Amino acid sequence: MKNIVLFGILFTLLFSCSTSNVFPKKYLGTYKGNQEAYEVSMNGEPILVPAAEYELLLDNGRLWITSPKQKLEATYEVKLETEMYYNLVVQLETGVVEEWQLWKKGEKLIRKSIAPKPDVIFIAE
């Protein structure tokens, strides 16, 4: 019984330490951004991917990206906090992992996409 109580206390402490990298609630909410058109090569042929408008809903540990053609869910972790921004590691439901930056001033979130996709700057509404 004593071991179970000690294990429970240890688990609680570890869990509370792992969730300490959460940013203030003022950054949560809706953001909008535009992704510029870009070109990819498929079987040696260039294909133009048209520009897209995105809406992003940021919540604690989760986010949803909506475009006219799809809706993606993702989870994220705060990996680093600097004076200027929070560095997030975002894992999309498709399995893709990206690095994002949530800026403390200017109410913007930058999606550092994987090439050839251009970055997307989301602005808070």
Side-chain angles (χ1 to χ4, degrees), residues 1-116:
M1 180 69 181
K2 191 176 186 181
N3 289 339
I4 293 173
V5 171
L6 288 174
F7 180 73
I9 292 171
L10 180 62
F11 180 76
T12 303
L13 286 173
L14 288 174
F15 182 74
S16 65
C17 289
S18 68
T19 59
S20 64
N21 285 340
V22 178
F23 41 81
K25 288 182 181 181
K26 69 180 183 177
Y27 299 115
L28 302 178
T30 304
Y31 292 76
K32 288 203 177 201
N34 292 311
Q35 184 172 42
E36 297 174 5
Y38 61 97
E39 195 173 278
V40 295
S41 178
M42 190 170 279
N43 296 328
E45 295 292 321
I47 297 175
L48 181 67
V49 178
E53 188 173 303
Y54 289 101
E55 183 173 288
L56 178 120
L57 178 60
L58 184 66
D59 199 5
N60 279 322
R62 301 187 88 72
L63 59 89
W64 294 266
I65 306 169
T66 306
S67 73
K69 294 187 177 186
Q70 67 180 6
K71 183 174 184 174
L72 290 174
E73 185 174 346
T75 58
Y76 67 88
E77 284 185 48
V78 178
K79 285 297 184 181
L80 175 71
E81 178 181 357
T82 70
E83 286 185 30
M84 299 175 64
Y85 62 86
Y86 294 94
N87 188 40
L88 310 177
V89 174
V90 178
Q91 178 153 4
L92 301 170
E93 66 182 331
T94 59
V96 174
V97 178
E98 298 177 339
E99 179 183 323
W100 293 28
Q101 295 173 342
L102 176 61
W103 287 76
K104 294 179 178 180
K105 294 185 180 179
E107 298 179 334
K108 65 181 175 182
L109 182 63
I110 300 175
R111 178 184 186 182
K112 299 287 191 176
S113 297
I114 300 170

